[in-house]
Amino acid sequence: MTDATGSTGFEDIPPTTLADLLGRGQVMDTGIRPLWPSPRRVAGPAFTVRCPRGDNLMLHAAIHRAEPGSVIVVESGDMDYALAGGNVCAVAQRRGIAAFVADGVIRDLAEVRAMGFPVFARGVIPIPGTKTAVEPFNVPVRCGGVRVHAGDVVVADEEGVVVVPRDRREQVLLDARAKSAKEAAESLDVWEAAHRARIDGILRANGFEG
């Protein structure tokens, strides 16, 4: 869900903060990565898509149906055929789609990089998939090892991709803002002292001397 300005509230929250709060289960694996260096952080509600092996029909249909600000999250059946190329990304960008997060591959990377459309995926291959398999939109999908439901908030940048469950959105946002404020107010000297005390305590509890 977004507000009247199209914001989820998570645009200024880094994935690292969310990962600390949500744990490993909501963080996509390292194979889902930005396909061009240092993309801007994106945050938006998931519009979920399934594309069976070798087919990209439903992603191509999704760009005309997802609401502006959405992150289109794709469960793909393979990494042998591209889900999308430059024109699909250009239309998605023109329609206000925030990003693609795909458990698969795309093509036309130079075009996508030049237009600055954020794509987080497993890689690039030049051959496109076919367009025959019809699947429902906005059913639960698995992407990067994470179960994603329509409306979950997806936050992604060069640090990784985190999925905030839609039913925990408000509390996670409050907790993330509180954590960020606390960290911003803490000097490195204070952090260092607390960090050393904690680490030394763990070492002593485990019989380490030195």
Side-chain angles (χ1 to χ4, degrees):
M1 180 180 295
T2 59
D3 63 19
T5 68
S7 172
T8 64
F10 285 87
E11 288 78 9
D12 60 346
I13 307 295
T16 48
T17 298
L18 295 171
D20 288 346
L21 294 171
L22 292 168
R24 180 67 186 87
Q26 295 304 119
V27 179
M28 292 190 187
D29 68 54
T30 58
I32 309 297
R33 62 191 186 277
L35 293 189
W36 44 273
S38 302
R40 60 180 174 82
R41 182 178 303 138
V42 297
F47 184 98
T48 60
V49 177
R50 283 181 179 163
C51 289
R53 181 176 179 83
D55 201 279
N56 61 27
L57 174 64
M58 297 316 294
L59 175 55
H60 286 233
I63 64 171
H64 303 290
R65 290 163 174 80
E67 292 293 327
S70 299
V71 175
I72 295 182
V73 179
V74 188
E75 177 182 322
S76 175
D78 66 87
M79 292 187 289
D80 296 321
Y81 297 90
L83 292 163
N87 285 343
V88 169
C89 291
V91 172
Q93 185 180 56
R94 185 162 64 182
R95 293 204 64 253
I97 304 302
F100 289 166
V101 174
D103 204 328
V105 293
I106 70 161
R107 68 179 194 163
D108 300 332
L109 180 59
E111 293 178 36
V112 178
R113 181 174 58 238
M115 71 181 72
F117 181 69
V119 177
F120 299 80
R122 292 199 181 273
V124 180
I125 200 166
I127 186 167
T130 59
K131 297 171 180 61
T132 59
V134 175
E135 296 277 343
F137 287 131
N138 285 324
V139 296
V141 300
R142 185 162 290 276
C143 185
V146 178
R147 187 79 160 169
V148 184
H149 296 79
D152 289 349
V153 178
V154 180
V155 182
D157 65 14
E158 62 189 354
E159 294 286 347
V161 185
V162 180
V163 180
V164 180
R166 60 190 178 190
D167 59 352
R168 299 175 59 190
R169 175 183 180 276
E170 297 301 330
Q171 188 59 54
V172 171
L173 183 57
L174 288 173
D175 292 345
R177 286 175 172 167
K179 179 175 171 61
S180 296
K182 179 181 177 182
E183 291 172 350
E186 185 178 60
S187 71
L188 180 58
D189 289 342
V190 170
W191 184 91
E192 180 183 10
H195 178 261
R196 178 162 188 174
R198 181 167 67 91
I199 297 303
D200 288 351
I202 295 170
L203 292 173
R204 285 194 300 273
N206 286 277
F208 178 83
E209 296 181 5

